[in-house]
Amino acid sequence: MDFRLSDKEQKLWERAEEFTREHITPRAHILEMRNEFPKEVVQKAYEAGLMNLHIPPEAGGPGVSLLAETLVSEATGYGCAGMATSIMCNNLAFAPLVIGATIEQLKEHVEPLITGKDAKFGSFCLTERKAGSDVAAITTRAERDGDEYIINGMKCFATSAPQASLFTVFASTQPELKHKGLSVFMVPKTKGVKIGHIEDKVGQKNSIQSEVIFEDVRVPKECLVGKEGEGFKIAMMTLDKTRAGIAAIATGVAQRAVDEAAKFANIRHQFGKSVGRFQGISFKLADMGARAAASRHLTRYAAWLADNDLPVSKDSAFAKFFASDSAMLNALDAIQIMGGYGYLVEYPVEKLMRDAKLLQIYEGTNEIQRLVAGNTMLKESVNLDTGFHVKYDGKDAPMV
Ligand code: COS
C-alpha cells in the first residue's frame, strides 16, 4: 500500500494550494461581507484549470480521478469553504450527466460550458421546499408533449443557480411511481426558467443558493438523461461520489482549524509560558490533528473506491459525516484555544465554525449519512461470519 500521491496528483495538489494562498485566503473574509458570488476568484480558478475536473476528455474535460478532485476541494476548502463550494459547484451539477448522459449529450450541453474563455456554471436542482432528505417526494413535473417535455415546479437551495446557464433538474415523469417515476433533465437557461429568492446564510457566504422556478419550460426530448424513471438512481449514484468532495472541503476546514490553533498556542503566553505547553491545550490539539488526519484518510479511501468502481455508498457516507463533524468540532476547539481572540471576526476561526455547520447539512444531512451507512452495514452483516454462533432459545439463531 502506497499512501503517496502520484506525480500528477502531487502537482495538482501543489497548484491548488498555491492558488488558495494567493487568491482565496487573502480575500475570503472581505468577499464574504459582500454576500456575493466570488466571480473573479472563480474565474481565476477556471483559468488555473481547477474546475470541471471530472468531465471526460471525449467531452472536452481533463477527466481526472475523484481522488485528484478531492485534493483540489481540500486545498481550496482550507482557504474558504464557501469559495471551494463555488469552484466545485459544477462537479455536483454535471456529475449526474457524466453518470447518465451519452457522450453526444455531454458534447452538446457541457463541452461549450467548460471550454470557453470564461467560466460557466451548472446548477444541481434536486431539493424542493417539501423534498429535502426525502428525494422521492419531489413534485416538479415533466410531461411529455410530442418531441418535447414541459417542466413545471420549484427548486430551492440550488447552488450557483443565479450564475448558471445549465440546470440539472430532477422531475417526476410518473408521480404515481414515486421514486421510480423520477427522471433527470438537462435544462438550458431558457424561457420560463426564473431565479427566485436568494438565501442569506450564516456561513459559506462566498457561495450562493437560491430558488429556481420552472414555468412551462419546454425542452427537447433529447434533454432527458438516461431513461425515464432513472432519476432517483442517478441522484443516489451522484451523491455517492460527490459526498467525498464535501468531505474533502471539510478536511480542509478541519486542518485549517488545527493550524490556526497551533500557531496561536505557540505565540500566546500566559503564566510565563506558551499556552500550548499546558496539557489542557496540547491534548486538544492532538485530538484536532487526529480528526483532520482521519478525515483525510476516509475521504481519499472513499474516492479511491469510487475511482475503482467498487461499492462506495457506506464509505462516502462515513467520510462525509466524519469529516464535517470533525470540521465543526475542530472549529469549536480552535475558538476555545484562542479564547476571546477566537471569537473575533478579524480572526479566521469563527468563520470556520459558521462554514463547518453547513458541511454537516448540505448534500445529505449527517443523519442521512448515518442512515445510509447503518443500512449498508446491516445488509453486509447478513453474510458476516464472526466465528461466534448465537444460541437463541437453545438453538442456533436463525440468519436474518
Ligand atoms: N446507488 C444506486 N441505487 C441506489 C442507491 C445508490 N447509492 N441507494 C439507493 N438506491 C436504489 C435502491 O436500490 C432502491 O432501488 P429499487 O427501488 O429498484 O429497489 C431505490 O434506490 C430506493 O432505495 P431506498 O429504499 O434505500 O430509498 P429510501 O427512500 O429508503 O432512502 C435515502 C433513500 C434517504 C438514502 C435517499 O433519499 C437520500 O440519500 N436522501 C438524501 C438526499 C440528499 O442528499 N439531499 C440533499 C440534497 S443534495 S444538494
Side-chain angles (χ1 to χ4, degrees):
M1 193 185 295
D2 189 347
F3 285 100
R4 279 170 302 192
L5 299 173
S6 69
D7 283 351
K8 214 169 141 193
E9 288 161 347
Q10 183 64 30
K11 282 200 182 105
L12 185 62
W13 168 249
E14 284 167 15
R15 184 156 28 115
E17 270 199 311
E18 194 185 321
F19 182 87
T20 300
R21 263 195 307 277
E22 197 175 327
H23 299 290
I24 297 185
T25 312
R27 298 200 181 118
H29 232 107
I30 301 161
L31 290 183
E32 86 153 357
M33 305 281 185
R34 294 193 202 152
N35 213 1
E36 277 174 14
F37 185 74
K39 202 171 159 209
E40 283 167 32
V41 176
V42 177
Q43 174 64 26
K44 284 198 164 72
Y46 177 70
E47 288 163 13
L50 299 176
M51 280 179 67
N52 304 314
L53 294 165
H54 63 316
I55 308 296
E58 302 89 303
V64 305
S65 62
L66 183 60
L67 176 59
E69 213 176 85
T70 62
L71 301 176
V72 177
S73 297
E74 184 186 333
T76 51
Y78 185 93
C80 172
M83 284 196 203
T85 301
S86 291
I87 291 168
M88 294 295 152
C89 70
N90 284 357
N91 291 9
L92 178 60
F94 299 152
L97 315 184
V98 172
I99 289 168
T102 61
I103 288 296
E104 290 68 36
Q105 283 178 311
L106 289 178
K107 280 179 87 66
E108 186 181 342
H109 291 276
V110 177
E111 189 165 4
L113 305 187
I114 64 163
T115 48
K117 201 165 119 303
D118 295 326
K120 298 218 167 48
F121 305 97
S123 183
F124 183 79
C125 294
L126 180 78
T127 302
E128 297 179 1
R129 289 279 173 221
K130 291 185 181 170
S133 297
D134 186 4
V135 175
I138 282 175
T139 57
T140 294
R141 194 76 172 86
E143 284 171 284
R144 184 77 184 256
D145 181 31
D147 283 345
E148 292 179 323
Y149 282 94
I150 308 170
I151 301 177
N152 278 290
M154 190 177 96
K155 298 289 175 178
C156 64
F157 301 145
T159 297
S160 302
Q163 290 71 37
S165 35
L166 186 69
F167 300 84
T168 303
V169 182
F170 291 82
S172 187
T173 37
Q174 276 189 282
E176 65 284 4
L177 295 183
K178 305 246 165 59
H179 76 277
K180 285 186 194 292
L182 282 183
S183 305
V184 56
F185 296 88
M186 297 174 286
V187 180
K189 181 124 194 219
T190 183
K191 195 167 159 252
V193 179
K194 294 175 192 155
I195 300 302
H197 178 68
I198 296 177
E199 307 297 347
D200 186 8
K201 309 191 301 300
V202 168
Q204 295 211 19
K205 286 169 175 277
N206 286 316
S207 133
I208 301 299
Q209 283 73 26
S210 78
E211 291 173 341
V212 191
I213 298 136
F214 299 92
E215 245 172 45
D216 289 330
V217 177
R218 284 183 172 270
V219 291
K221 67 178 190 325
E222 289 74 24
C223 286
L224 172 69
V225 177
K227 297 195 189 91
E228 276 193 21
E230 287 186 346
F232 189 89
K233 198 171 139 207
I234 293 174
M236 293 303 117
M237 290 167 76
T238 297
L239 295 169
D240 273 352
K241 292 197 168 185
T242 56
R243 282 167 183 162
I246 302 302
I249 296 177
T251 302
V253 172
Q255 188 63 54
R256 178 76 183 275
V258 176
D259 294 351
E260 294 296 347
K263 247 173 41 174
F264 184 92
N266 257 330
I267 296 165
R268 171 75 170 164
H269 281 68
Q270 291 289 275
F271 305 104
K273 56 183 178 182
S274 70
V275 295
R277 295 276 159 222
F278 293 99
Q279 286 185 343
I281 302 293
S282 66
F283 283 12
K284 239 192 226 322
L285 282 174
D287 286 340
M288 292 165 72
R291 280 186 214 121
S295 300
R296 184 170 300 113
H297 289 304
L298 283 173
T299 300
R300 293 186 184 177
Y301 180 59
W304 179 87
L305 287 173
D307 287 335
N308 287 283
D309 292 326
L310 292 164
V312 67
S313 302
K314 180 185 72 181
D315 293 272
S316 60
F318 280 168
K320 200 275 185 183
F321 78 70
F322 187 86
S324 56
D325 285 351
S326 295
M328 191 65 194
L329 287 170
N330 280 11
L332 289 170
D333 278 349
I335 293 175
Q336 198 63 27
I337 288 171
M338 293 168 71
Y341 298 97
Y343 203 63
L344 298 182
V345 175
E346 66 190 90
Y347 282 74
V349 290
E350 62 80 32
K351 178 178 181 306
L352 298 181
M353 175 187 67
R354 290 186 287 107
D355 290 353
K357 191 64 227 169
L358 186 52
L359 294 163
Q360 295 178 298
I361 296 170
Y362 66 7
E363 274 190 61
T365 63
N366 282 3
E367 290 72 24
I368 286 290
Q369 308 307 319
R370 287 177 167 89
L371 188 90
V372 169
N375 286 348
T376 313
M377 289 163 70
L378 286 171
K379 280 185 202 148
E380 286 171 352
S381 76
V382 171
N383 296 317
L384 196 64
D385 181 4
T386 63
F388 172 72
H389 297 285
V390 184
K391 291 278 182 199
Y392 181 75
D393 218 9
K395 303 183 190 112
D396 276 348
M399 292 299 274
V400 189

